[in-house]
Amino acid sequence: MEAEATDAPPGGVEVALCCFSFNQDCTSLAIGTKAGYKLFSLSSVEQLDQVHGNNEIPDVYIVERLFSSSLVVVVSHTKPRQMNVYHFKKGTEICNYSYSSNILSIKLNRQRLLVCLEESIYIHNIKDMKLLKTLLDIPANPTGLCALSINHSNSYLAYPGSLTSGEIVLYDGNSLKTVCTIAAHEGTLAAITFNSSGSKLASASEKGTVIRVFSVPDGQRLYEFRRGMKRYVTISSLVFSMDSQFLCASSNTETVHIFKLENLISSRTEEPSTWSGYVGKVFMAATNYLPAQVSDMMNQDRAFATGRLNFSGQKNICTLSTIQKLPRLLVASSNGYLYIYNLDPQDGGECVLIKTHSLLGSATTKENKENDLRPSLPQSYAATVARPSTSAASTVPGYSEDGGALRGEVIPEHEFATGPVCLDDENEFPPIILCRGSQKGKTKQS
């Protein structure tokens, strides 16, 4: 049933946000504004819960939260070369780093934190913020385009390998070695993303018409989707669902596309089991005699479902998440609104808009309620970023700043990085003072 969208944006075109990002498991949304930044929990359709808000850091243009922990990374236009890492529940700065040029993007999982500049990428060990590697031999990357697998057991990194073509470099963030290069597109890249396990990599070029999915780490092409043919668009976000069954793409148009990963390119040559399948095979065989561009279009799958916005020309990011046990499409826009749609995972079609939330207006604040209800738990940097391994148990009690411990959730043990490192204690190595300073010539380079 379609619900009336409330708090509809007047005109829907004014740019209200400096930046916005979903966290790694799509349970939280972070926004940056001229006045500071806010963090929201995405656990309800009807209610938007504000987990944290900060008005002390102006002009925030990068804000990234580590899963549902208290760790948040912030970059402001007032100091665009400085990255600040905060424990927002304690209201303390964990550390800060300064770089040789403006920071363009930051990616993080439970093992690595990446800082992308236009001509270099810095790789940190997130448990102690030690700088492990600086990648200098990379093509100019003016948008800071890069992707990091949220699965810290591999920590794959992907970034453009060319300024003129759609080549992707796949890099192992754990072994600190290049894995392979992938010739993904003829044109330059606009978006790249990993699935939750780090076994697939999706990409789109600046034309925005074709989206491809590759296997990791061998770089073989698995799927190919056509977003459209009539016009070129700017793809602003590309994201897999957590179960890797769907891929979602948003752009500067009014349409968000959702693709279903079901027809492997290699499987299309198998023997058909039905008469219609045989006819289809004959038809596809005929495409071998057509021009290459026409043949490619015949072999590309179309969108399984779509979501419609009532405006275009804005930067949007999308994600696919399960909220209140149902699959949802979420779209956050630079106009300052979050749009929530119902998604039919069986039949697809057009997603139904069921709720619109203002990201700049009033929202329910969960901070005080959580502080009153949550049992006493360690809140050191090590507790925020990493959990030491337990014995033979396969799971440990789940804990998140959004009340996971209260709900009794269980999180697989592999979700937590190992190693008891505590930056809040200066008697442990490395002391927090070592985390402040300039990153110039302090690490291995490649």
Side-chain angles (χ1 to χ4, degrees):
M1 181 179 68
E2 184 174 358
E4 182 178 356
T6 59
D7 300 327
V13 294
E14 182 179 358
V15 176
L17 303 181
C18 298
C19 66
F20 38 94
S21 65
F22 293 104
N23 68 340
Q24 294 81 359
D25 56 4
C26 309
T27 59
S28 177
L29 172 65
I31 67 169
T33 69
K34 293 289 184 180
Y37 70 90
K38 296 180 181 180
L39 305 175
F40 299 95
S41 170
L42 301 175
S43 58
S44 171
V45 170
E46 294 299 322
Q47 182 172 292
L48 186 64
D49 293 323
Q50 181 177 314
V51 177
H52 177 67
N54 184 295
N55 294 324
E56 298 177 359
I57 308 171
D59 293 331
V60 173
Y61 72 96
I62 294 176
V63 54
E64 297 285 345
R65 185 183 183 186
L66 179 64
F67 289 89
S68 294
S69 74
S70 293
L71 183 74
V72 61
V73 183
V74 179
V75 182
S76 167
H77 277 300
T78 59
K79 293 183 179 180
R81 298 186 178 187
Q82 180 173 299
M83 172 189 70
N84 299 88
V85 184
Y86 296 102
H87 189 303
F88 69 79
K89 277 290 178 181
K90 297 177 68 175
T92 59
E93 180 185 78
I94 295 170
C95 60
N96 66 69
Y97 275 101
S98 295
Y99 300 86
S100 57
S101 61
N102 290 356
I103 299 171
L104 300 180
S105 64
I106 290 175
K107 307 293 179 183
L108 60 163
N109 63 23
R110 295 190 185 277
Q111 196 75 20
R112 296 289 181 257
L113 185 150
L114 308 179
V115 179
C116 184
L117 313 184
E118 183 171 353
E119 296 182 344
S120 57
I121 297 176
Y122 292 80
I123 304 176
H124 294 265
N125 178 19
I126 201 169
K127 291 185 293 182
D128 56 13
M129 292 307 298
K130 179 181 178 181
L131 183 58
L132 302 176
K133 189 86 169 183
T134 305
L135 303 178
L136 294 177
D137 57 341
I138 67 173
N141 186 8
T143 63
L145 178 62
C146 66
L148 174 67
S149 166
I150 69 171
N151 181 3
H152 64 261
S153 65
N154 52 55
S155 292
Y156 287 122
L157 160 67
Y159 60 91
S162 171
L163 190 59
T164 58
S165 69
E167 182 180 88
I168 302 173
V169 176
L170 183 63
Y171 188 88
D172 190 324
N174 287 340
S175 66
L176 304 177
K177 295 179 180 178
T178 299
V179 177
C180 68
T181 57
I182 303 172
H185 302 270
E186 292 183 2
T188 54
L189 295 169
I192 47 178
T193 188
F194 288 98
N195 68 338
S196 59
S197 65
S199 60
K200 295 181 178 67
L201 175 67
S203 65
S205 72
E206 286 189 344
K207 291 182 178 179
T209 54
V210 176
I211 296 170
R212 296 188 172 103
V213 178
F214 302 89
S215 61
V216 176
D218 54 10
Q220 296 299 309
R221 188 169 58 175
L222 300 177
Y223 305 94
E224 189 165 289
F225 305 104
R226 177 158 288 274
R227 190 211 56 81
M229 293 183 292
K230 294 182 180 180
R231 53 180 173 173
Y232 293 163
V233 302
T234 301
I235 300 292
S236 54
S237 72
L238 196 59
V239 63
F240 287 92
S241 60
M242 291 300 292
D243 61 7
S244 301
Q245 293 186 19
F246 299 95
L247 178 65
C248 183
S250 66
S251 65
N252 58 339
T253 71
E254 68 282 358
T255 306
V256 179
H257 293 80
I258 300 171
F259 304 95
K260 193 171 185 178
L261 281 68
E262 55 182 355
N263 297 318
L264 283 168
I265 290 178
S266 59
S267 68
R268 297 175 185 177
T269 59
E270 296 177 357
E271 287 298 319
S273 57
T274 64
W275 171 253
S276 60
Y278 176 77
V279 174
K281 185 178 180 182
V282 172
F283 178 76
M284 295 308 296
T287 63
N288 294 329
Y289 301 96
L290 298 174
Q293 291 181 336
V294 177
S295 177
D296 288 344
M297 286 190 291
M298 294 293 187
N299 284 279
Q300 291 161 348
D301 290 333
R302 301 303 194 268
F304 169 78
T306 57
R308 301 287 180 181
L309 299 167
N310 61 358
F311 59 89
S312 62
Q314 293 289 291
K315 180 180 180 181
N316 307 304
I317 60 171
C318 60
T319 194
L320 297 167
S321 182
T322 300
I323 301 177
Q324 296 171 318
K325 299 182 180 181
L326 293 175
R328 318 284 189 180
L329 165 65
L330 282 70
V331 182
S333 174
S334 57
N335 64 15
Y337 286 82
L338 173 68
Y339 304 87
I340 303 179
Y341 299 78
N342 272 343
L343 168 65
D344 186 338
Q346 300 299 324
D347 299 327
E350 185 160 336
C351 299
V352 178
L353 177 65
I354 57 173
K355 195 68 177 179
T356 302
H357 290 289
S358 171
L359 299 173
L360 298 175
S362 58
T364 303
T365 302
K366 293 184 67 178
E367 292 177 284
N368 294 333
K369 181 173 67 174
E370 286 181 351
N371 289 335
D372 293 339
L373 297 178
R374 184 178 298 113
S376 177
L377 291 170
Q379 291 195 348
S380 65
Y381 176 73
T384 303
V385 178
R387 289 289 182 88
S389 296
T390 56
S391 54
S394 61
T395 59
V396 294
Y399 166 69
S400 74
E401 298 296 347
D402 293 340
L406 299 182
R407 293 194 297 267
E409 294 175 347
V410 174
I411 299 176
E413 186 179 18
H414 69 264
E415 282 291 294
F416 302 103
T418 58
V421 179
C422 178
L423 290 183
D424 295 347
D425 185 352
E426 292 189 1
N427 294 322
E428 291 191 39
F429 178 81
I432 194 168
I433 56 174
L434 293 185
C435 290
R436 298 191 173 99
S438 174
Q439 294 308 307
K440 297 179 181 178
K442 290 188 178 182
T443 184
K444 296 185 295 181
Q445 299 176 352
S446 67

